[in-house]
Structures are given as C-alpha cells and as structure tokens.
C-alpha cells in the first residue's frame, strides 16, 4: 500500500467503519486494497454493506472499551468469501451464508479477495430475550442451503427495498429474523446442565408472577430453594442484575400492551398493572429503555 492515494482511501474507509460500525482497527494484507461502505436505515433495521479486499479488520479489548457493545453483528455474505474469527473459532463464509459476531468480544475479519457483505446490527436485548439468555453460538457458519437462512435473506432484502416500512413493521421484521435463526444461533446441547435448568426455572417463575408486588429477590430465592446470594450470583454469571431484569421484563410487557391498545387506555393504569405504582417512575424508566415516553411510543404504533 505504497501509493499515497491508496493510503488515503484506506484511512478514509477505516474512519467510516469506526463511525458507522463501532471502533475497529485494521491492517493491510497482500494484494490491492479495496474498501467501500454503504449504510442504510430502514427504521429499526440498521445495516451496512461492506465491500473490501486486501485488508484485515479486527476488534480488540481496546476498541471495545471505546465503543458501544450492545449489539451483535449479523453478517450476510453477498459476494466472494470472508474469514471470521471469534472465541478461538475460525470460519470461512461464502455467498449466501450467515454468521453472528458479538460486539462485546474480540473478533477479526479477513478479506483477501474482493468480498461483499451486509452487517445488520442486532440489539443485544432482542436476541437475549428471544434466546432466554442461553448461550448463543458466534462465529458459527449458517449455510446458504438452510431454509431458515434463505428466508432470512428474503426478509432482509424485502425490508431494505420497502421505503414505506413503519417502525412497528421494521421491528417485527428484526424479531422475525431472530426467530428464524435462533435455533441455529443457540448452542446445541442434548441436556442443559443443572445450573442452566435452574436459571430457566427462575425466569419462568418471574414471568408467572411478573404482575405481583411480592416479586422481589428474597421471594424468588425462597420459592426457588436457594439463598439470595446464590440468586444474585446466578444472574451475575449471565451479566444481569435481578432487579434490573425484572424491571426490564415489565417494561417490555408494557411496550407490548402499548402497541396493542388505543388512546382510551390510561398510561398510568398500564404501568400500574405491570408493577409500576408511580407513573413518573414508570415514564422515566420506559424512556430510558426505549428512548421515548410511553405516550410517544404508543403514538408511533398507531
């Protein structure tokens, strides 16, 4: 990469990547460099189309510290091939394949020859809720021969081509893609370990009593036959806090109700029915999670 103009293109491309996709570092590989980036936002669908050759893009702990890690990158390979690494795993994906990369962990992508791929930002909360916080398999090649992969490609393409897509429809498309790919993303275990079964039982207990005022860590621990300290440790192992999980679960259910009810349903009543006795607290917590107030959220889906 001796040519000054090529070096400038390389730096400009890397700056674009850092602005749109989060903090990455890069190094040149053998052969001519090619780097292009196109961005597209279809409401909840935030994606980038990367065309590259002769470059290695990577993300270390240093880059992760200075970037938002609340995402997974869902990579749809369009042309050529790319080598991806994460968690001591290395895969090569070809046109039509899909893989998942966790933005919170180091990763590396190699483009030796011309390659083109779409990177769809998948919010961590959507995947974790859909997978019930079970481990998801990253840097795992989902072959283009799988019917669910083919359907996901079709859904992505139709969503990108539809300029009239509403917030509700784009969010539904994102969740539908997760539902389609979830079985392949989740690690295959014939029998989950005892701790995992216990965790899933606790989540079910929370869901079945989510509207109860008695739903507190102490009550959950007693009902589950463990100490409060063990309960906290169980959630901490998943990167969660018990009280925060309960609050977010209630807010997610409130959001479902807001999408389905008319303006005659009082906001304070909706919050109260899901465990928020104080409307001001409910409104503040809702805005922190979804970026808008409950009233604005309902208007968006009208």
């Amino acid at each position: 990469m001796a040519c000054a103009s090529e070096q400038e293109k390389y730096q400009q491309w890397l700056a674009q990547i850092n602005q749109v996709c989060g903090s990455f570092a890069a190094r040149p590989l053998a052969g001519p460099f090619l780097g292009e980036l196109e961005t597209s936002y279809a409401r909840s669908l935030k994606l980038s189309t990367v065309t590259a050759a002769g470059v290695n893009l990577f993300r270390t702990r240093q880059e992760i510290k200075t970037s938002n890690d609340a995402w997974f990158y869902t990579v749809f390979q369009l042309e050529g091939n790319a080598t991806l690494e994460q968690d001591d795993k290395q895969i090569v994906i070809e046109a039509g394949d899909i893989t998942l990369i966790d933005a919170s962990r180091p990763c590396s992508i190699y483009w030796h020859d011309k390659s083109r791929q779409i990177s769809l930002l998948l919010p961590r909360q959507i995947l974790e809720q859909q997978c019930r916080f079970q481990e998801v398999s990253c840097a795992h090649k989902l072959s283009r021969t799988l019917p669910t992969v083919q359907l996901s490609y079709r859904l992505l393409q139709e969503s990108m081509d539809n300029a009239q897509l509403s917030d509700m429809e784009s969010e539904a498309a994102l969740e539908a893609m997760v539902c389609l790919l979830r079985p392949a993303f989740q690690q295959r275990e014939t029998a989950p370990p005892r701790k995992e079964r216990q965790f899933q039982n606790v989540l079910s207990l929370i869901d079945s009593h989510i509207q109860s005022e008695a739903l507190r860590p102490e009550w959950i621990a007693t009902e589950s036959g463990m100490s409060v300290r063990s309960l906290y440790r169980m959630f901490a192992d998943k990167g969660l806090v018990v009280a925060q999980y309960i609050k977010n679960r209630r807010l997610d259910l409130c959001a479902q109700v807001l999408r389905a009810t008319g303006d005659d349903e009082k906001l304070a009543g909706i919050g109260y029915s899901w465990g928020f006795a104080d409307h001001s607290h409910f409104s503040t917590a809702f805005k922190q999670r979804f970026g808008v107030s409950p009233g604005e959220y309902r208007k968006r889906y009208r």
Side-chain angles (χ1 to χ4, degrees):
M1 202 178 297
C3 176
S5 62
E6 192 170 87
Q7 180 67 30
E8 287 176 8
K9 290 178 183 177
Y10 174 78
Q11 294 297 340
Q12 289 171 359
W13 176 78
L14 183 57
Q16 277 186 300
I17 291 285
N18 278 270
Q19 183 180 9
V20 175
C21 305
S23 294
F24 280 86
R27 66 184 183 91
L29 300 175
F33 166 75
L34 170 66
E36 297 173 1
L37 180 67
E38 303 168 42
T39 59
S40 175
Y41 297 93
R43 302 291 184 173
S44 295
L45 299 174
K46 298 177 177 63
L47 48 92
S48 306
T49 303
V50 181
T51 306
V55 65
N56 169 213
L57 194 67
F58 59 92
R59 190 169 162 90
T60 68
R61 291 291 177 194
Q62 185 62 38
E63 284 76 41
I64 292 169
K65 283 180 184 177
T66 60
S67 182
N68 187 349
D69 64 356
W71 305 95
F72 285 86
Y73 302 107
T74 315
V75 181
F76 295 76
Q77 188 70 17
L78 301 178
E79 297 174 18
N81 61 65
T83 302
L84 295 95
E85 296 176 349
Q86 187 163 64
D87 298 335
D88 299 321
K89 287 186 286 186
Q90 184 184 84
I91 59 166
V92 177
I93 56 173
E94 300 171 322
D97 297 336
I98 297 176
T99 193
L100 188 72
I101 296 295
D102 189 345
S104 71
R105 306 204 297 272
C107 64
S108 188
I109 308 172
Y110 295 85
W111 294 294
H112 293 282
D113 301 309
K114 184 179 178 181
S115 170
R116 189 163 171 261
Q117 60 186 211
I118 290 177
S119 179
L120 171 67
L121 291 182
L122 179 59
R124 185 174 299 278
Q125 69 183 54
I126 291 180
L127 187 63
E128 289 181 343
Q129 288 288 351
Q130 291 270 5
C131 294
R132 299 286 286 175
F133 295 93
Q134 292 182 7
E135 196 71 27
V136 294
S137 184
C138 293
H140 172 70
K141 176 179 173 177
L142 305 187
S143 173
R144 59 190 178 279
T145 60
L146 294 172
T148 52
V149 169
Q150 296 167 10
L151 283 170
S152 298
Y153 260 96
R154 196 176 309 157
L155 181 58
L156 178 69
Q157 194 62 55
E158 291 181 1
S159 300
M160 288 170 62
D161 294 341
N162 189 346
Q164 305 303 317
L165 209 64
S166 68
D167 284 318
M168 188 174 184
E169 288 166 337
S170 66
E171 188 175 312
L174 200 58
E175 291 178 355
M177 253 180 278
V178 176
C179 285
L180 282 169
L181 299 172
R182 181 182 61 192
F185 282 156
Q186 286 186 284
Q187 291 189 344
R188 298 165 180 80
E189 292 181 351
T190 52
R194 185 183 64 83
K195 281 187 177 180
E196 188 58 41
R197 290 199 303 270
Q198 191 177 31
F199 179 68
Q200 294 301 319
N201 288 338
V202 169
L203 295 187
S204 297
L205 179 69
I206 289 173
D207 272 0
S208 60
H209 294 83
I210 195 70
Q211 291 178 285
S212 171
E213 292 183 6
L215 190 62
R216 298 285 187 276
E218 295 76 15
W219 180 86
I220 296 169
T222 301
E223 290 294 309
S224 303
M226 67 176 78
S227 67
V228 175
R229 186 177 178 183
S230 296
L231 178 71
Y232 284 138
R233 190 184 303 119
M234 174 188 287
F235 274 74
D237 288 343
K238 300 283 185 179
L240 302 168
V241 177
V242 185
Q244 187 69 38
Y245 173 81
I246 294 171
K247 183 172 80 170
N248 286 342
R249 188 74 179 125
R250 283 172 166 164
L251 289 168
D252 291 342
L253 292 167
C254 285
Q256 286 182 20
V257 173
L258 287 169
R259 293 199 294 266
T261 58
D263 293 337
D264 54 333
E265 188 85 22
K266 290 186 177 180
L267 296 174
I270 293 172
Y272 183 79
S273 66
W274 292 101
F276 294 94
D278 181 85
H279 178 63
S280 176
H281 171 62
F282 165 56
S283 185
T284 301
F286 192 94
K287 189 168 185 178
Q288 286 175 343
R289 183 152 178 81
F290 295 101
V292 293
S293 67
E296 286 298 316
Y297 187 88
R298 181 160 62 182
K299 284 179 185 176
R300 180 184 292 181
Y301 288 94
R302 284 278 63 80

